[in-house]
Amino acid sequence: MDSTDATDETWEAWSARVARELEQLGPDDWVTFVVHVDSAAAVAEERREARRGWRRAFAPPPPPPSVPDVFLQARPIEGTLALECIGDAEFEGITDLTARQLETLAALGWERDGDDPHLSATFDVSEAADAADLVAASLRGVLGAESPGRVDLRRSP
């Protein structure tokens, strides 16, 4: 599945769909979520459109800047859903997340694992909807996904 599956989907519908997928994960399965990164040409076109439209002044506030090097992962472990928020882009202690973003993620329900920019959360498989809601809130409110169509999902092979 890729970001094109959720082009017109609401966050609520996306969360419900992701919850169903999380419930169906097998013991060796995993799924990752990352904010989709546009090509330079697409970004330039969006900027041209924004400059052209007077509606920009009346638009809702923009989402936070996207953090494409951070990804969320879910996998089943012995009857639980283990979620990870990997903010260590290089896996060497460097993160693209700010201290405020890390605090916001913790306020949403993620647990910090020491000083590393790595966070986790666990849910019973029966709480897949809560896990999906946490993923959606993190992507939308912290990692900068404007819509579900801006999220790339990748499943285990």
Side-chain angles (χ1 to χ4, degrees), residues 12-93:
E12 293 78 17
W14 185 89
S15 290
R17 181 171 55 82
V18 167
R20 288 188 301 275
E21 289 191 31
L22 293 177
E23 289 172 334
Q24 296 174 5
L25 289 175
D28 296 324
D29 293 337
W30 50 263
V31 61
T32 61
F33 310 86
V34 67
V35 177
H36 177 75
V37 179
D38 282 332
S39 68
V43 171
E45 179 61 27
E46 281 181 26
R47 289 182 181 152
R48 278 193 297 278
E49 288 296 319
R51 284 193 300 266
R52 267 189 239 151
W54 61 269
R55 290 173 286 197
R56 184 173 170 210
F58 300 105
S66 64
V67 188
D69 291 331
V70 175
F71 67 93
L72 309 178
Q73 179 173 303
R75 58 192 169 113
I77 298 178
E78 299 178 10
T80 64
L81 286 172
L83 274 57
E84 296 177 284
C85 176
I86 311 295
D88 184 347
E90 301 295 323
F91 298 103
E92 296 173 359

Side-chain angles (χ1 to χ4, degrees), residues 107-129:
L108 288 173
W110 292 95
E111 295 180 24
R112 292 279 310 259
D113 298 333
D115 292 330
D116 292 336
H118 178 253
L119 299 100
S120 63
T122 56
F123 294 86
D124 187 88
V125 174
S126 66
E127 301 171 314

Side-chain angles (χ1 to χ4, degrees), residues 87-154:
D88 184 347
E90 301 295 323
F91 298 103
E92 296 173 359
I94 299 169
T95 183
D96 289 330
L97 291 169
T98 65
R100 183 176 178 148
Q101 288 168 320
L102 289 167
E103 290 170 9
T104 303
L105 288 167
L108 288 173
W110 292 95
E111 295 180 24
R112 292 279 310 259
D113 298 333
D115 292 330
D116 292 336
H118 178 253
L119 299 100
S120 63
T122 56
F123 294 86
D124 187 88
V125 174
S126 66
E127 301 171 314
D130 294 333
D133 287 345
L134 175 61
V135 169
S138 302
L139 289 163
R140 179 179 56 197
V142 182
L143 302 179
E146 298 168 8
S147 69
R150 305 295 302 159
V151 177
D152 285 335
L153 276 73
R154 297 184 185 115

